Structure formats: structure tokens, C-alpha cells
Amino acid sequence: MIAPRNEGMPAVTLLTPGTRAWEDVLAHIERQLLAGTLAPGDHLPSERTLATDLGVGRSSVREALRVLEVLGLLRTQTGSGPGSGAIIIARPSGAMSSLIRLQVAAQGFRVDDVVSTRLILETAVAGQLAAAVARADARHAGDAVHAAARGAAPHALTEGPGMPDLSPATEILDAMEQGDPTPTEFLALDAQFHLSLAQATTNEVIAATMTGLRDSIEGYSIAGVAHLESWHRTSDRLKREHRAIVDAIRDGDPEAASAAVNSHITGYYAEAGFGHPSPVAPASAHSKQTEGTTHG
Amino acid sequence: MIAPRNEGMPAVTLLTPGTRAWEDVLAHIERQLLAGTLAPGDHLPSERTLATDLGVGRSSVREALRVLEVLGLLRTQTGSGPGSGAIIIARPSGAMSSLIRLQVAAQGFRVDDVVSTRLILETAVAGQLAAAVARADARHAGDAVHAAARGAAPHALTEGPGMPDLSPATEILDAMEQGDPTPTEFLALDAQFHLSLAQATTNEVIAATMTGLRDSIEGYSIAGVAHLESWHRTSDRLKREHRAIVDAIRDGDPEAASAAVNSHITGYYAEAGFGHPSPVAPASAHSKQTEGTTHG
DNA sequence: AGGTAGTGTGTGGTCTGACCACAGTGGTCT
DNA sequence: AGACCACTGTGGTCAGACCACACACTACCT
């Protein structure tokens, strides 16, 4: 299965026969990541160096780097000096988007499954945020005096289950209501709003997954605008619902927050002609349209 | 940004300056997927053909194919004849696992965020399955006589929100309780059980995501066994809890099913020394151990 | 002395051409 | 009819050669 591997004393990793060269490179880098030898911000050795060190060809190194790049683990830059070369990062969102989008394209993922998964995550996010608010409120009511007396600032992010930061979300809502965004702009802001809620939980896994789910069906969402009876009426309703979601979270009411998110998302996709996202059923055939968005 | 591209009349796709050659290849294939020209089971043209057709080098084609392979969109096979070459597939699970695992390794994902996200999805899955059972039961009670009279078999998978198929799950439970699996074997079966529940919803997105979440922290789960007071007692409890989950689903009780899953997962990770997965809080530093699992 | 233009060097990005191992295909020989 | 074997095309790999680029350095001119 393997072509002749350059057996000229690789400097670092033993080559495992039976695997492909680029897999060895990938495993080598993953090992360094797990060991902490490589961390976000670090430079990878140059492709040529890596190739000679590992005893593989440069093209094999490049295939591995390409994979890592698509997986959101590194970014490359031509030229010289700091900032050039391959640098370790950890940006899962783009990778999630590509993965889900391509799986949808290849019919591995159904659009309504994507939507209903998004529904699960978003309702959970809203519920958790509301619960966190309720918890923080309760704690605050009991501790406020003592904390102030001790001189300990009630810094939301440094103490226990802190108060979620909803200001990014509300700022986006302000932006949506000012100016007169086009449907596409509006939907972009809408995506940012939902993402900001996920980010308020500080759970990167949820944030990245939600971003991916949302991005991968962005084209369908935009295409759905054509199915609406009245964009003006729909967007007004969406704005109201956004405020209701934030209010429910601020009130510390998980039930209301989850329900608000649920009806918000379900409502739009129903209006936009997706058919309602079925929770469990092997639902009817889903519409297929919109041109191919280019690779992100 | 771009080296001299072979401008010799590419046969298919126009080359877009400003993007890298392999991105053009990727975009070209994604376009064909969206258009339906390429579907699971189809053969991709050979690397050499693709290269000349698109007017790029074979190495660029290979980088794009490598990406698609890691993303679970195609599999390659050496040799000749049918079955060889690059074939379109749609297996997102492996890609999800790699993505999440590597992001955890690169510190883009926190282990407890992975766990708490898994918690969200699994509780939702159990709740939805139970709800589906309740719905199917209700329908069945009303329709049974008429359906039988009409000669229409109550085929669970062909009518509306059908009865979820829990038999794979229970078969796995049987396997767990027979024989005397080692902790590692037990945890593998446990993973299969949870996966089978996700698959019972027929939602591939959830199933793939859950698989990825679970796989990516498999090493931590296994390492956690060492923290247990008594493996025997814990595994007994886990078995009981599994049955309780299935029973709650069979009873059509979403609340109970979700709660059972919640305590099941939370309980294990608490015992295994993960610290409880915090829903929202920016929790304390997470443990970091286990050797690097090789690329999957 | 202080800018400024030019050169040097190393990076990723790409292409080409050459091998290898592999697995069907199809012919040939027994 | 059966067994054998060269043929052919596939992915996997490597080596070497360019290119565009961006920084670092140096010599130059003002």
C-alpha cells in the first residue's frame, strides 16, 4: 500500500508502515498538540524541514497541513518573517461549517435534520442562559452586601456560574432595528445574534457547532425569503421574538426562554417553506435549491 | 498569492485567481455535489484526469481530495477495476470525531464543554424518542382497529412520526450484561448504546455529532475508570440506568427519559473525576491526561 | 546621521515527471 | 476448461524546479 519511504534516518518520528505518509505527519503533529509541545500561536517548522525531519516528501507534509488547515487547526501565510509560515490556531467554526455544508451537499445530512439539531442546541442554550441568570440573581441577592463590604467586585466572569454577558446580543438587536437591512443583511445579523447567545454560554463546542449548522443552510434560509408572504411583517415579528428571548433570559425563566427560541426558529422555517423540522420522524422529501456557495 | 497556473484551456471549470488551486478543485467538486452530478457511490475521475481537466497540477488535486477524504466525503482505493479510485461517500462521523478530537488537542475545545454539549444532545434525543413513542402509542390506540380492518399493516417506519426502533439499543444492552466485558469493552458498548439511541431518531446530524463528541473524549473516559471507587459497582449502576432510560422511552415519558440520561451521564463523569460538566460557567481548569490516540 | 532603494533569503504555492505497489483485465499457454 | 502472467490504470510518494511574496539587511544617496 505504501511507496518506498525515504528511510534516511528520520529525525523525530518513527514511520509506521501500513499508514499513508500524510497520516504519519498528521499523527506526529497531533501528538505534539496533545503533549503541549505545540500550542495555539506556535509556528510549525517549515514544510521542507518537516519533510526531512519526518523522512517523507514535502507533498505528503502539504497534504497533512492542508487537512489541518481545513480542520481549523492552523493557518498559513506566504512570505517571510513572523506571521508567515504555518501557525497553530484553534478555530473550529469554519471547519464545522465546511464539514456540515459538504455533508449536506453530499446528501449525508438532511436539511431538516440540520434545522432540528440547531433547534435542540439553541433551546438548550437559551434555557441554560436563563438558568444561569436566575442562579446569579439568587446569589447576588444574598451576597451583594457582603461582597461589597469585602471589597470584592462582583465580576461576573470570575466568580462561579457568573452572570452571562448578553450585551453583544442586544447590540446586534439594536443594529437589526436601526437602518433598514436587506433580507440578506438581516439574516446575517440574525445569525450573529444566535451565535452571540451561544458564545454567552462560553461553551465553544456549542458555539462552533451552531455556527456550522447555521452556515451550512444559510443558502436555504435566504432562498426561503421568497416564500414569505410579507418580508416586512416577518422581520418585524422576528425582531419582537428576539427581544422576547432576551427578556426571558434576563428574567431567569428557562422555560420561557426555551419556548421563545423554539417558536422563533420553528416559525421562520415553517414560513420559509422548509416544512416543519420533524423531531424524530423520517419526514417527507426536503426541498433542494440555491446555488453552491463557494468553499469557506 | 498564486503561482503560475497552467493556462492551457481547462476543460471544465474556470480558475479563479486569488484562491489556491486546491480550493478551486474543492469548489468544483462541491458544485457537482450540489448539482447532483456527483452523488454517493459515484466514482471521481482519476487524479490525473481531474488535474488536466481543471488545469491544475496533480498535487493540487490530491490536496483537495485529501480534504474531502478527511471530511468523510470520499474514500480512495488503490489498484484497478471497480472499487478502486476515489468514490463519493457521506460518512460524517469520522470527520466529526477527527475535528472535535483535534480541536480538543489544540485547546480549542474544552473537555467539559464537549461533555456538556453531549449532555444536551443526549437528553434531547431521549426526550424526543419518548415523545415519539407516546405519539405513536396514541395514534395506534385510535387507529389499530381501523387499520387492521383496512388491511394496512401498522408499519412503524412508513407512517408519520413512526415508532422509534429501539431494538438495536436493547441488543447492545444484552451484550453488555452477558459475558464480562473489560472496562474498555464496556465503555465501547456504552458508546454504541448511546449512538444507537441517536440513530433511532433517524437524525444523522445528531448521530454524527454525538459520535464525534463521544469519540473525541474516549481516552478521558477510559482514564476515568482509574478514579472509580469500584468498577464493578459503577458498571452495575450504569447497566441499571441504561435499562431505566430505555424503559422511560418505551413508556413515552419524555421528562423521565431526559432526566434518566442526564443523571446517567453526569453521574459517570462526576465519578470518573471530570468534575461536573458546568452548563454555563467558565469552570475551573480541566484535567489533561491520556496519550494521543492516533488519527482515525 | 537618517531615510531610501535595492538585494538576499526563506516561506508557502504550484507544477512536472518519475517511480512504486496494487488489483483487476484479458490474453496466452498448458 | 483451467491456470498462469503480462498489461494497464489507479492511488501513493518523492524529488526538483520554479514563482510570488514579505521581511531583513545593506548599501546608497541626501
Side-chain angles (χ1 to χ4, degrees):
Chain A
M1 186 177 189
I2 286 298
R5 199 73 58 83
N6 181 10
E7 298 298 343
M9 186 49 194
V12 179
T13 315
L14 56 158
L15 298 179
T16 64
T19 65
R20 292 174 286 186
W22 65 269
E23 289 179 317
D24 292 339
V25 179
L26 202 54
H28 173 252
I29 295 176
E30 179 176 358
R31 230 172 291 133
Q32 295 205 328
L33 285 172
L34 280 168
T37 315
L38 241 38
D42 290 350
H43 274 72
L44 228 53
S46 78
E47 297 178 353
R48 293 167 177 87
T49 305
L50 222 36
T52 59
D53 283 358
L54 298 182
V56 300
R58 190 177 159 215
S59 48
S60 297
V61 171
R62 281 185 63 73
E63 290 183 23
L65 296 190
R66 205 57 46 224
V67 167
L68 289 173
E69 181 178 338
V70 170
L71 257 31
L73 286 169
L74 61 82
R75 100 187 145 68
T76 59
Q77 186 78 34
T78 62
S80 77
S84 75
I87 299 182
I88 299 288
I89 59 175
R91 304 250 173 292
S93 313
M96 276 289 185
S97 300
S98 299
L99 169 54
I100 299 174
R101 177 169 42 82
L102 284 166
Q103 286 292 344
V104 170
Q107 308 168 29
F109 283 162
R110 301 162 46 92
V111 173
D112 42 11
D113 282 350
V114 171
V115 173
S116 67
T117 305
R118 189 189 152 202
L119 201 51
I120 291 173
L121 289 180
E122 298 229 31
T123 54
V125 161
Q128 289 190 352
L129 287 175
V133 167
R135 244 178 294 129
D137 281 349
R139 163 191 308 241
H140 198 64
D143 286 356
V145 181
H146 307 78
R150 287 201 317 275
H155 196 302
L157 291 180
T158 54
E159 54 172 7
M163 176 71 77
D165 183 11
L166 297 178
S167 52
T170 54
E171 281 167 19
I172 293 167
L173 292 188
D174 292 342
M176 292 175 83
E177 292 170 2
Q178 292 165 5
D180 191 29
T182 66
T184 303
E185 291 168 353
F186 185 92
L187 289 177
L189 286 169
D190 179 271
Q192 283 184 38
F193 168 71
H194 289 275
L195 175 59
S196 71
L197 290 184
Q199 287 172 332
T201 67
T202 73
N203 185 326
E204 287 292 327
V205 180
I206 295 181
T209 306
M210 264 182 46
T211 302
L213 292 172
R214 166 78 198 221
D215 285 359
S216 64
I217 56 171
E218 188 188 12
Y220 296 83
S221 297
I222 294 176
V225 172
H227 290 70
L228 299 180
E229 211 175 283
S230 156
W231 165 253
H232 186 69
R233 192 141 47 104
T234 296
S235 64
D236 274 354
R237 179 172 57 74
L238 295 179
K239 290 174 194 168
R240 267 198 316 275
E241 291 175 346
H242 287 155
R243 293 295 180 183
I245 292 169
V246 173
D247 288 345
I249 293 174
R250 283 238 167 80
D251 287 348
D253 187 342
E255 308 291 329
S258 294
V261 167
N262 194 329
S263 64
H264 172 63
I265 298 178
T266 308
Y268 177 75
Y269 284 117
E271 264 192 29
F274 273 65
H276 59 87
S278 64
V280 173
S284 55
H286 55 295
S287 61
K288 188 91 174 287
Q289 40 199 0
T290 64
E291 86 299 350
T293 67
T294 176
H295 162 73
Chain B
M1 185 175 190
I2 285 298
R5 201 71 59 80
N6 181 8
E7 299 298 344
M9 186 51 194
V12 178
T13 315
L14 56 159
L15 299 178
T16 63
T19 65
R20 291 175 286 186
W22 66 269
E23 290 178 317
D24 292 339
V25 178
L26 202 56
H28 173 251
I29 295 176
E30 179 176 357
R31 229 171 292 134
Q32 294 204 328
L33 285 172
L34 280 168
T37 314
L38 242 37
D42 290 350
H43 274 73
L44 228 51
S46 79
E47 297 178 353
R48 293 168 176 85
T49 305
L50 222 36
T52 58
D53 281 359
L54 298 183
V56 300
R58 181 152 82 116
S59 47
S60 297
V61 171
R62 280 184 64 75
E63 290 183 22
L65 295 190
R66 206 56 51 226
V67 167
L68 290 172
E69 181 178 338
V70 171
L71 257 32
L73 285 168
L74 59 84
R75 97 187 149 69
T76 59
Q77 186 78 35
T78 62
S80 75
S84 74
I87 301 182
I88 299 288
I89 59 176
R91 305 251 174 287
S93 315
M96 275 287 187
S97 300
S98 299
L99 170 53
I100 298 174
R101 177 170 41 81
L102 284 166
Q103 286 291 342
V104 170
Q107 308 168 29
F109 283 162
R110 300 163 48 90
V111 174
D112 43 10
D113 282 350
V114 171
V115 173
S116 66
T117 305
R118 188 188 153 204
L119 201 51
I120 291 173
L121 288 180
E122 298 229 33
T123 54
V125 161
Q128 290 189 351
L129 287 175
V133 168
R135 246 178 293 130
D137 281 349
R139 165 191 309 241
H140 199 63
D143 286 356
V145 180
H146 307 81
R150 287 201 317 274
H155 197 300
L157 290 181
T158 54
E159 52 172 9
M163 177 71 78
D165 182 13
L166 297 178
S167 53
T170 54
E171 282 167 18
I172 293 168
L173 292 188
D174 291 343
M176 291 175 82
E177 291 168 3
Q178 292 165 5
D180 191 28
T182 66
T184 302
E185 291 169 352
F186 185 92
L187 289 178
L189 287 169
D190 180 90
Q192 281 182 40
F193 168 72
H194 290 274
L195 176 58
S196 72
L197 290 184
Q199 287 172 333
T201 68
T202 73
N203 184 328
E204 287 292 329
V205 180
I206 294 181
T209 306
M210 264 181 45
T211 302
L213 292 171
R214 167 76 197 222
D215 286 358
S216 65
I217 56 170
E218 188 189 13
Y220 297 83
S221 298
I222 294 176
V225 172
H227 290 69
L228 298 180
E229 211 176 282
S230 156
W231 166 252
H232 186 69
R233 192 142 46 105
T234 296
S235 65
D236 275 354
R237 179 172 56 74
L238 294 179
K239 290 175 195 167
R240 268 199 315 277
E241 291 175 345
H242 286 156
R243 294 294 181 185
I245 291 169
V246 173
D247 288 345
I249 293 174
R250 282 238 169 79
D251 288 348
D253 187 342
E255 308 291 328
S258 295
V261 167
N262 194 330
S263 64
H264 172 63
I265 299 179
T266 307
Y268 177 76
Y269 284 116
E271 264 192 30
F274 273 65
H276 57 87
S278 63
V280 173
S284 56
H286 57 294
S287 61
K288 186 93 173 289
Q289 41 201 358
T290 64
E291 85 301 347
T293 66
T294 176
H295 163 72

